[in-house]
Amino acid sequence: MSEEKSIERKDSVYEYSKEVQHIDNVRNINAKLANPLSGIPHDKLMANAAQFAEDHGLGHLKEEFKKGALVAQDPTAFESLPMLDDADRNVLRRELTHRWDQPWELYYLVILCSLAAAVQGMDESVINGANLFFAPQFGLDQKATDGSAGRNQWLLGLVNSAPYLCCGVVACWLTAPLNAYLGRRGTIFVTAFVSFASCIWQGVTNSWQHLFVARFVLGFGIGPKSATVPVYAAECAPPVIRGALVMMWQMWTAFGIMIGNVMDLAFYHVPDKPHIHGLNWRLMLGSAGVPALIIMSQVFFCPESPRWLMSKGRYDKAYESLLRLRHAPIQAARDLYYIHTLLETEKEITTGRNRFLELFTVPRNRRAALASTIVMFLQQFCGVNVIAYYSSNIFAEANFTEIQALLASWGFGMVNWLFAFPAVYTIDTFGRRNLLLTTFPLMAIFLLMTGFAFWIPEGKARLAVVALGIYLFGMAYSPVFS
């Protein structure tokens, strides 16, 4: 028995030591990823930076990269670095005190990314008003008395959801290869073209089956674009404003949803022309192609992502790109060298490891994946998609007239956009978790309020409560998910 206990004790000590070693490895990896330059002596760091410049065709910029490497190692210590001159210190000092003072090309890029987000929102919401018109024209009348109303509802849902059916089944899986071969700008150009072409295509369809195919193809424009644009903005933005600029995606998607409702209103009174039945809803669906065309014509005037260029070994082009996105060469050299160091560290850490399995076997990865999955699931199933796609139908069911339903839907779009702004100020103070815990119960209450309002007898009271419930839901939803 004593020998068995001794073996058990040795096994438990061995398992404990393995666990401690694993924890130490995780801590080392986290520290290395936090700043891979930390702890390197200045002489060695400058020698490494000079060698980096020589190896990548930037030998004439050795001194700039030496200074950039020193700043990258500790961005707050630039005041005490003897290699820097007053001009360098002034640039780095102003970067901290005037964080929104950025080159116009960076803001041009941000505007283009915001327009891409608005296209995303318009692609989602123009169908909202068009539902009122193409559904009965294509035999999908939701109030049919011949027993087909239930089937029609399913088919209308199928047509509405076609882009996201495409995204889930095919389109999103194309994001990685498109980015790998075409770059960020190329991917945005291709997806904008698909959005433009499919929006025009939707406007010339002659059956619900034809419209379903056109909207399914639209998914190839929606999926990869929604994954690429925020990454493009993040890779080009300086760290001090990166979070705020990436958040612009959701904010301007909400703006696009509102503009989609505006287009529904703008084309409501357009009469049919000879041989064109339903011109109003055709123009509604086609209108989302206009901003996509603008993106196509402008995206290649923006600099390419430096990180993508470096992943292709084009360090000279990456440096040129950063020079366009930063005020001074020392900032470009600092960011280029730091990105290079991170890429090398990531390559070293991931070599010989299965990142998919580590998503489940490493506790911190598993917890992050679980939290992300829950939040994304709740975002899609909290009820907002029903309102975004069917608010006009919901208001019409509450006995709004068609124009009143479209106006009420525009009101929801406006609320959704305006209440995205508080997120900019609360997300880093009140906290993401606290926002989720506060707003989810409110969203549930307001959706229940909207649903139970249909038991109110027909009249102004029902109209008021339905509209109020949907608007309050938008107010609760927008700050947390924007």
Side-chain angles (χ1 to χ4, degrees):
M1 287 294 291
S2 60
E3 185 177 348
E4 289 178 0
K5 287 181 179 179
S6 175
I7 293 172
E8 288 177 3
R9 191 178 298 113
K10 287 180 181 178
D11 288 342
S12 63
V13 169
Y14 175 71
E15 292 297 327
Y16 176 75
S17 63
K18 279 179 63 179
E19 184 67 23
V20 169
Q21 184 179 3
H22 175 71
I23 293 172
D24 288 341
N25 288 338
V26 169
R27 286 174 178 167
N28 291 335
I29 289 172
N30 288 341
K32 201 166 186 179
L33 286 175
N35 190 344
L37 300 175
S38 179
I40 301 176
H42 282 190
D43 291 343
K44 183 178 180 182
L45 182 61
M46 288 190 290
N48 291 345
Q51 188 62 49
F52 161 80
E54 192 68 43
D55 291 343
H56 294 94
L58 300 166
H60 59 291
L61 297 168
K62 284 182 182 179
E63 295 304 313
E64 206 66 58
F65 277 98
K66 287 180 182 179
K67 293 190 291 185
L70 291 173
V71 177
Q73 185 181 50
D74 187 353
T76 62
F78 61 88
E79 299 283 6
S80 60
L81 293 174
M83 276 196 71
L84 304 187
D85 56 30
D86 288 339
D88 294 329
R89 290 193 181 90
N90 286 335
V91 167
L92 297 172
R93 197 179 296 126
R94 187 171 180 81
E95 185 179 51
L96 297 177
T97 58
H98 297 73
R99 63 177 189 154
W100 292 104
D101 178 18
Q102 302 293 336
W104 73 269
E105 287 207 52
L106 177 63
Y107 284 115
Y108 183 71
L109 183 149
V110 170
I111 290 170
L112 195 77
C113 290
S114 299
L115 186 60
V119 171
Q120 194 87 354
M122 289 185 70
D123 286 337
E124 291 179 20
S125 63
V126 288
I127 193 74
N128 191 324
N131 281 334
L132 298 175
F133 307 103
F134 78 76
Q137 181 177 333
F138 289 162
L140 301 180
D141 189 355
Q142 305 299 290
K143 297 181 179 180
T145 57
D146 58 358
S148 62
R151 171 182 174 274
N152 291 345
Q153 288 175 356
W154 279 98
L155 293 177
L156 181 63
L158 181 65
V159 171
N160 279 331
S161 63
Y164 292 95
L165 177 63
C166 174
C167 288
V169 176
V170 185
C172 284
W173 301 101
L174 298 177
T175 302
L178 281 173
N179 277 270
Y181 291 108
L182 302 179
R184 310 292 185 245
R185 295 182 305 174
T187 301
I188 293 170
F189 177 86
V190 169
T191 53
F193 171 76
V194 173
S195 292
F196 167 73
S198 54
C199 283
I200 303 303
W201 185 3
Q202 289 178 85
V204 297
T205 52
N206 53 14
S207 67
W208 71 261
Q209 294 95 334
H210 191 183
L211 182 58
F212 168 80
V213 173
R215 287 184 58 74
F216 188 88
V217 173
L218 177 63
F220 289 101
I222 288 178
K225 179 165 84 274
S226 65
T228 301
V229 173
V231 171
Y232 179 47
E235 291 178 342
C236 293
V240 288
I241 58 171
R242 183 172 295 145
L245 293 187
V246 174
M247 278 184 63
M248 294 296 167
W249 170 261
Q250 289 295 345
M251 180 179 294
W252 294 104
T253 297
F255 177 77
I257 290 173
M258 183 193 69
I259 295 300
N261 297 135
V262 170
M263 292 298 103
D264 291 341
L265 282 166
F267 295 116
Y268 174 76
H269 289 293
V270 173
D272 289 347
K273 300 295 182 183
H275 310 296
I276 303 177
H277 184 33
L279 183 58
N280 57 352
W281 68 260
R282 297 178 187 279
L283 290 173
M284 291 175 190
L285 295 180
S287 64
V290 175
L293 184 62
I294 297 173
I295 293 170
M296 288 169 55
S297 66
Q298 297 297 310
V299 68
F300 284 108
F301 290 106
C302 292
E304 181 57 273
S305 160
R307 187 182 177 97
W308 181 82
L309 289 168
M310 292 168 70
S311 70
K312 299 300 180 182
R314 297 158 64 182
Y315 281 77
D316 54 337
K317 296 297 183 183
Y319 182 69
E320 291 174 11
S321 179
L322 279 168
L323 284 176
R324 295 172 63 186
L325 296 166
R326 302 293 185 267
H327 277 307
I330 189 172
Q331 294 170 303
R334 174 200 62 192
D335 292 349
L336 187 76
Y337 187 69
Y338 190 67
I339 295 170
H340 164 76
T341 307
L342 282 174
L343 288 173
E344 291 299 308
T345 303
E346 290 172 8
K347 189 186 301 181
E348 176 187 336
I349 289 172
T350 57
T351 299
R353 295 165 60 182
N354 190 315
R355 286 182 290 176
F356 179 76
L357 289 179
E358 287 189 350
L359 194 62
F360 307 99
T361 57
V362 177
R364 68 189 179 97
N365 293 350
R366 185 168 61 246
R367 288 191 292 270
L370 179 62
S372 301
T373 301
I374 291 173
V375 171
M376 291 300 101
F377 177 86
L378 291 175
Q379 181 181 12
Q380 297 303 319
F381 287 85
C382 69
V384 70
N385 288 330
V386 174
I387 296 173
Y389 283 90
Y390 293 103
S391 61
S392 296
N393 297 71
I394 294 170
F395 287 125
E397 287 289 330
N399 288 330
F400 283 61
T401 64
E402 286 182 345
I403 191 66
Q404 287 174 335
L406 293 176
L407 281 166
S409 294
W410 170 79
F412 170 75
M414 176 66 79
V415 166
N416 188 37
W417 178 54
L418 289 178
F419 278 82
F421 284 94
V424 177
Y425 301 100
T426 59
I427 200 75
D428 290 320
T429 54
F430 193 54
R432 294 161 176 79
R433 183 172 177 272
N434 289 331
L435 279 174
L436 284 169
L437 293 176
T438 302
T439 55
F440 267 121
L442 292 175
M443 283 189 274
I445 291 169
F446 297 143
L447 280 180
L448 288 170
M449 171 182 168
T450 304
F452 288 136
F454 284 89
W455 287 350
I456 300 173
E458 291 184 11
K460 292 183 178 179
R462 179 199 280 189
L463 301 182
V465 176
V466 169
L468 180 63
I470 287 178
Y471 289 172
L472 290 174
F473 171 83
M475 291 178 188
Y477 167 85
S478 197
V480 68
F481 283 119
S482 296

